[in-house]
Amino acid sequence: MAEAADNRITPTAAVRRWLRGGVAVLLTTGPLVGGLLTPPAHAATAHGSAAPAASTGSAARATAQAAAGDRKGTGSRTATVTMRTLSPATPEKGDTLNVTGTVTNNGRSSISDGRIGLRVGPAVEGRGALEQNAERKDYLPGADGTEVKDKDATAKVGTMRPGIRRTFKLRLPVSALKLDSSGVYQLGVTLTGQTRERPYDQILGIERSFLPWQTSDAKNKTGLTYLWPLISRPHMTARTESDEEQTPVFRNDDLAKELAPGGRLQQLVKLGGDLPITWVVDPELLATVNAMTEPYQVRKKGGGTTAGKGQTYAKQWLMDLQGAVKGEEIATLPFGDPDLASLAHRGRDVPGALSGLSSATERAVNTVKSILHTEPATDYAWPAEGAVDPSIVDVATSAGAHNVIARSDSLRDTALSYTPTSARPIGGGNTALVADAALSRAFEGDMTRPGATSKAVQRFLAETHTLTAQVPNKQRNILVAPQRMPSAGQVQAMALALSSLQKDGRWAQGTDLSEAAAAKPDPRANRKVPGSRQYPASLRRQELPTEAYRQLQETDRGVNDFKQILTQDDRVVTPFGSAMERAESTSWRGEAEAAKSFRDNTSDYLVGLTKKVQLIQKSPITLSGRSATIPVTVQNNLVQGVDGLELRLKSRRRIGLDVGEAQPVKVDGGHSQSVKFSTTSKANGRAYVEAQLYTKDGKPYGKSMVFQVNVTSITSTVLLVIAGGVLLVVLAGVRMYITRKRNGGPAPGGDGTGTAQGPDGTEGPGDGDEDGDGDGDGDGAGDSGQPEEPAKTGTAEQAAMAGSAEAAGPAEETENARAGTPEKPGALGGAGEHDTGHGSDSASDAGEKVDR
């Protein structure tokens, strides 16, 4: 096959060198060169066998095209011809062919006498020749056929200055093309005209396409299984609102655009309902759209959220999808469409990474059944781009799938001259369903460019027709696995090709994926899975890094620890489980920064939730006494209650401070709980106490909280000394008061005699009788009639206090007497009774807020 490829490529490169040199004799030898360019029938191969030929000659073609690139605007590239539409795509006898398009002058001078013509080339022999002719840019006499001699096959465009664009339309009967036997014919639209430098008719531009021609139904139609993927990038985050409905929060509202009329997902459902396809669904997309049917929030770039706008689109899309898939075969991917190659190459050695594949498959079934009300098939695994190696196959089949969707540019068939049936056993009871690479990639690229859709459709139809003609007597089943997330334009092009094949194609028919898997394998087809070194480097660079799986592992551990304390753990487990499955999606390929941001936001949100259950920091407290109660407050800012926690205190200094046993913690959502610990101390001093929450399995929960405790215990001896001193002061004050009352105060005259004037102005004895009996009767005798004995002195302290009272005037005596009342000792005692400090169970604790 390599020799055949060299034979096809070498003349092409030589011809292009001759064109660069401007050899005039080429015009006369063109037919001969064209004959050399057309490969013999035995060299016609399937894409599997043509791939090596294309690979062998790709360097030569690339070199020739690069060297010819500077010829744009000259020769047969003076003008750009674009074929916008070609209908019918697969004409029959009696049909009318319609061709529309545009022509643009890219040269430096004007084109005069411009005329559009139609050319039909010889039937293409083999898929290799089909690819070769499609890649050719310049006009080549003989290879590009002869001009159709019909008045309706030409259209005048007149004179065109540089940069001018004109439209054209050709309408002619198919019979004018004079097509012979069934086959694929090259159809060319050319611009013929003159320039100032070359004032004679010449080909100034050409556009090629292919026209399948089938006069009757093929004896053995090719079974064509076309996968129709309903897959999107992750849009929903792990974050939800704190309301009862747990309103979801989305990364953006881009999914609403895809579901809106004209969006790619809307087009997939609208157009796919009438096509012979097999639906391949990522259940994560179904779950996300289903969530959008209710109110949802969208994260804003500057922070905060805003209401999503896709609710109406989501409801309509789901309703349309349910109608489109009714009674049809649906193959489901594991939830989130995990990247199997990344798992095999980067995540396999991270504990727990592979275990999530089984749960994702189980969840996929439940999601599809609940939303689409149908039982999906889970026996299929689809690695990115269909590239496989032994480790990918092992991972792909670890969750129960036995059919791995590969592609022919990965599992090559170099020994065959035709495209074999897609199914082939690869050992271990597993089957590789090898999709045709050329057909699978037929609609990649920008289909919005003028003429891109028509060109892709005609190429797809030509490939299928040529494939069927390879072995007319052999019935085969071919699989097509297009890009995972086609654009709206690509979807429309795919639908146009399949509808044309379904309506007018007489060489292929649609089949389900299950039929392709059950087809009899070709014994000559390659069954050896390529080694890991043959895995494309470009795809390996797009894989999720090992660090991504480690990060997800840590997040999963955090969720498992967090759910142990929750009374409604499904409010956390479900959104986080889905988010971690979304974080492994194949759709993150080429979006490394976005993928990392998604993982970081998920883990950060979990950490933020766990911090909503925390200990309230205490200020330093003082314990007065050998025993007291220390309250510690646990705050729960979640919307649900927490249970299963216990709080432990630990003294960091051994002063004999016993902080008691661990206490259980149960707090309702949005509340706080004060947990009290009975403590005892054997010595005075300062201690630091650490408070820490723990889960049921003994793991620390959240950050610890450290606070200071000052122990100031008062002994009984000190209390007796203080009480004795206070009692002495009280007795001394009482004694002073009684003595003064009996002796009276000095006379108003201030002489100290105790005399006073009577009413008549004469002197007589007053209240302050010098006898000091204090009875005021003037007779110097008491009630008994006996003279009063002098007051006996008490202690030295009392004598000193009495002397000081005598030296003072009446005003000071009164104040001193008042100071000796029992109110002052009573106040002190009150202070001593209530001064127990923070953390005590006495009345002073009312000032410490323990329940928030």
Side-chain angles (χ1 to χ4, degrees):
M1 296 308 300
E3 294 176 359
D6 291 338
N7 289 337
R8 292 197 297 270
I9 299 304
T10 303
T12 305
V15 168
R16 290 175 176 171
R17 288 195 296 271
W18 296 338
L19 288 173
R20 287 198 300 272
V23 181
V25 72
L26 177 62
L27 296 176
T28 60
T29 59
L32 177 60
V33 176
L36 292 174
L37 283 171
T38 304
H42 72 273
T45 63
H47 185 75
S49 57
S55 301
T56 306
S58 59
R61 287 198 300 273
T63 303
Q65 291 172 5
D70 58 353
R71 293 205 307 274
K72 184 177 181 180
T74 62
S76 59
R77 299 193 193 183
T78 301
T80 299
V81 180
T82 301
M83 195 182 307
R84 288 182 175 269
T85 63
L86 173 61
S87 63
T90 57
E92 300 180 13
K93 293 180 179 180
D95 286 344
T96 299
L97 189 68
N98 293 277
V99 181
T100 64
T102 61
V103 57
T104 305
N105 183 3
N106 295 322
R108 298 181 179 179
S109 60
S110 297
I111 296 175
S112 59
D113 297 331
R115 177 174 56 85
I116 295 294
L118 197 63
R119 289 176 174 268
V120 177
V124 178
E125 298 291 342
R127 300 185 71 185
L130 193 69
E131 180 179 0
Q132 193 175 51
N133 289 348
E135 292 181 353
R136 192 152 34 89
K137 302 298 181 182
D138 296 296
Y139 168 71
L140 193 60
D144 285 321
T146 58
E147 190 171 5
V148 178
K149 302 298 183 180
D150 189 280
K151 63 176 182 178
D152 295 323
T154 60
K156 294 182 179 181
V157 294
T159 301
M160 299 175 59
R161 295 190 302 273
I164 293 297
R165 176 181 297 175
R166 297 278 171 80
T167 62
F168 65 85
K169 181 177 181 180
L170 303 176
R171 180 181 174 85
L172 67 158
V174 174
S175 58
L177 303 180
K178 300 187 181 303
L179 303 177
D180 297 327
S181 59
S182 299
V184 174
Y185 293 85
Q186 178 180 295
L187 190 69
V189 177
T190 59
L191 172 67
T192 303
Q194 301 180 9
T195 62
R196 181 179 58 186
E197 296 80 10
R198 305 176 69 181
Y200 52 86
D201 285 346
Q202 58 190 299
I203 302 297
L204 299 177
I206 185 171
E207 170 75 332
R208 299 175 183 83
S209 186
F210 299 100
L211 194 67
W213 177 252
Q214 184 73 23
T215 57
S216 61
D217 287 353
K219 180 180 180 181
N220 292 288
K221 292 186 178 181
T222 299
L224 191 69
T225 301
Y226 203 102
L227 304 185
W228 202 250
L230 291 181
I231 302 172
S232 183
R233 287 189 174 88
H235 296 278
M236 192 188 299
T237 68
R239 187 180 300 272
T240 59
E241 296 293 322
S242 59
D243 53 5
E244 187 66 26
E245 292 77 15
Q246 206 170 359
T247 301
V249 178
F250 284 57
R251 296 172 56 223
N252 48 52
D253 215 8
D254 292 349
L255 187 56
K257 301 176 183 177
E258 297 184 23
L259 301 174
R264 70 173 200 89
L265 289 174
Q266 188 269 345
Q267 290 290 291
L268 278 167
V269 172
K270 178 183 177 181
L271 301 176
D274 298 325
L275 298 175
I277 57 173
T278 294
W279 300 87
V280 179
V281 179
D282 177 8
E284 188 277 333
L285 174 62
L286 300 182
T288 301
V289 177
N290 191 57
M292 290 177 65
T293 60
E294 302 292 337
Y296 66 98
Q297 294 290 308
V298 176
R299 191 172 59 196
K300 296 191 295 187
K301 291 184 179 179
T305 60
T306 185
K309 301 179 180 180
Q311 190 173 358
T312 302
Y313 300 142
K315 290 179 179 179
Q316 185 64 48
W317 188 81
L318 277 182
M319 187 170 61
D320 293 342
L321 177 61
Q322 290 168 354
V325 302
K326 188 174 182 179
E328 299 292 329
E329 183 174 274
I330 298 178
T332 180
L333 302 173
F335 192 95
D337 185 21
D339 192 333
L340 301 176
S342 295
L343 270 173
H345 298 155
R346 311 295 178 93
R348 197 172 186 176
D349 296 332
V350 178
L354 290 181
S355 61
L357 202 57
S358 297
S359 61
T361 301
E362 181 180 352
R363 189 174 179 193
V365 176
N366 296 333
T367 302
V368 174
K369 289 174 65 176
S370 63
I371 296 177
L372 298 183
H373 313 296
T374 186
E375 186 78 26
T378 61
D379 203 27
Y380 304 95
W382 189 9
E385 305 292 335
V388 295
D389 62 22
S391 63
I392 295 175
V393 173
D394 290 343
V395 169
T397 57
S398 64
H402 297 290
N403 298 295
V404 181
I405 299 173
R407 207 166 66 181
S408 61
D409 51 358
S410 177
L411 202 65
R412 298 177 181 270
D413 288 289
T414 57
L416 296 179
S417 60
Y418 60 89
T419 303
T421 290
S422 60
R424 59 199 70 179
I426 53 176
N430 301 316
T431 300
L433 299 178
V434 183
D436 186 83
L439 295 176
S440 298
R441 305 188 65 177
F443 301 101
E444 294 181 355
D446 184 8
M447 292 292 111
T448 62
R449 293 182 294 106
T453 295
S454 175
K455 193 171 185 178
V457 168
Q458 296 304 129
R459 173 70 182 274
F460 180 86
L461 296 174
E463 290 279 1
T464 58
H465 191 286
T466 305
L467 185 152
T468 303
Q470 289 174 338
V471 191
N473 296 325
K474 191 178 184 67
Q475 203 281 328
R476 288 161 292 160
N477 289 82
I478 306 300
L479 176 65
V480 181
Q483 56 273 32
R484 263 177 156 79
M485 294 184 290
S487 65
Q490 292 170 344
V491 172
Q492 293 166 357
M494 290 159 52
L496 181 58
L498 290 176
S499 60
S500 298
L501 194 61
Q502 181 183 27
K503 180 181 178 181
D504 302 320
R506 290 165 293 282
W507 58 88
Q509 59 186 4
T511 56
D512 291 333
L513 185 58
S514 58
E515 295 181 65
K520 184 179 179 181
D522 192 315
R524 299 177 57 192
N526 179 25
R527 303 182 180 188
K528 184 178 180 180
V529 177
S532 59
R533 293 185 178 181
Q534 295 176 268
Y535 189 81
S538 59
L539 292 179
R540 195 180 292 272
R541 286 192 294 268
Q542 296 179 351
E543 294 175 350
L544 294 172
T546 303
E547 180 58 33
Y549 292 98
R550 293 199 181 101
Q551 183 179 8
L552 292 174
Q553 181 189 41
E554 290 298 320
T555 303
D556 184 57
R557 289 175 180 172
V559 171
N560 290 331
D561 291 342
F562 188 39
K563 73 178 183 180
Q564 294 184 36
I565 72 168
L566 302 176
T567 56
Q568 295 176 288
D569 59 4
D570 58 301
R571 289 180 63 94
V572 171
V573 174
T574 300
F576 273 97
S578 300
M580 287 186 287
E581 288 169 338
R582 293 181 179 104
E584 300 183 33
S585 175
T586 307
S587 62
W588 290 120
R589 285 181 172 258
E591 301 284 343
E593 292 185 6
K596 186 177 186 305
S597 176
F598 185 86
R599 296 192 302 271
D600 291 344
N601 288 335
T602 301
S603 60
D604 291 346
Y605 179 52
L606 176 63
V607 172
L609 286 179
T610 59
K611 288 182 178 179
K612 289 181 179 292
V613 180
Q614 60 180 344
L615 298 172
I616 301 298
Q617 181 64 47
K618 294 183 66 64
S619 58
I621 63 175
T622 300
L623 301 183
S624 298
R626 292 294 181 86
S627 63
T629 299
I630 299 179
V632 179
T633 302
V634 182
Q635 187 178 55
N636 176 19
N637 287 326
L638 297 172
V639 296
Q640 63 171 298
V642 295
D643 195 2
L645 283 173
E646 67 175 17
L647 180 59
R648 304 176 190 175
L649 296 187
K650 179 181 179 182
S651 177
R652 290 188 174 183
R653 181 182 176 189
R654 296 186 178 277
I655 61 172
L657 180 64
D658 185 359
V659 293
E661 299 294 330
Q663 299 291 330
V665 175
K666 183 176 181 181
V667 190
D668 292 335
H671 290 75
S672 299
Q673 177 189 356
S674 180
V675 183
K676 296 184 178 182
F677 290 82
S678 297
T679 61
T680 59
S681 176
K682 297 180 180 179
N684 297 343
R686 178 185 300 170
Y688 288 94
V689 176
E690 179 183 12
Q692 177 67 63
L693 290 169
Y694 287 86
T695 59
K696 292 179 180 178
D697 55 1
K699 292 182 180 179
Y701 181 88
K703 293 183 178 180
S704 62
M705 184 264 291
V706 179
F707 58 96
Q708 179 180 318
V709 177
N710 298 317
V711 181
T712 57
S713 180
I714 303 176
T715 64
S716 58
T717 303
V718 174
L719 290 176
L720 290 174
V721 171
I722 294 175
V726 171
L727 181 60
L728 289 176
V729 172
V730 172
L731 292 176
V734 171
R735 180 63 179 169
M736 286 170 20
Y737 176 77
I738 296 173
T739 302
R740 284 301 169 192
K741 196 69 172 171
R742 290 177 177 175
N743 294 337
D751 58 358
T753 61
T755 61
Q757 288 183 339
D760 55 356
T762 62
E763 294 181 0
D767 293 337
D769 184 6
E770 62 184 1
D771 289 341
D773 57 358
D775 56 3
D777 56 3
D779 58 3
D783 294 339
S784 61
Q786 299 298 324
E788 181 91 3
E789 291 183 2
K792 295 180 180 180
T793 61
T795 62
E797 293 176 351
Q798 291 174 335
M801 294 178 67
S804 127
E806 291 174 357
E812 288 187 38
E813 291 173 0
T814 304
E815 293 299 322
N816 289 334
R818 291 176 180 173
T821 61
E823 294 176 5
K824 188 67 176 179
L828 179 62
E833 180 182 354
H834 294 289
D835 188 15
T836 58
H838 295 291
S840 172
D841 56 349
S842 61
S844 63
D845 288 339
E848 182 177 358
K849 189 175 183 180
V850 296
D851 189 9
R852 304 192 177 196

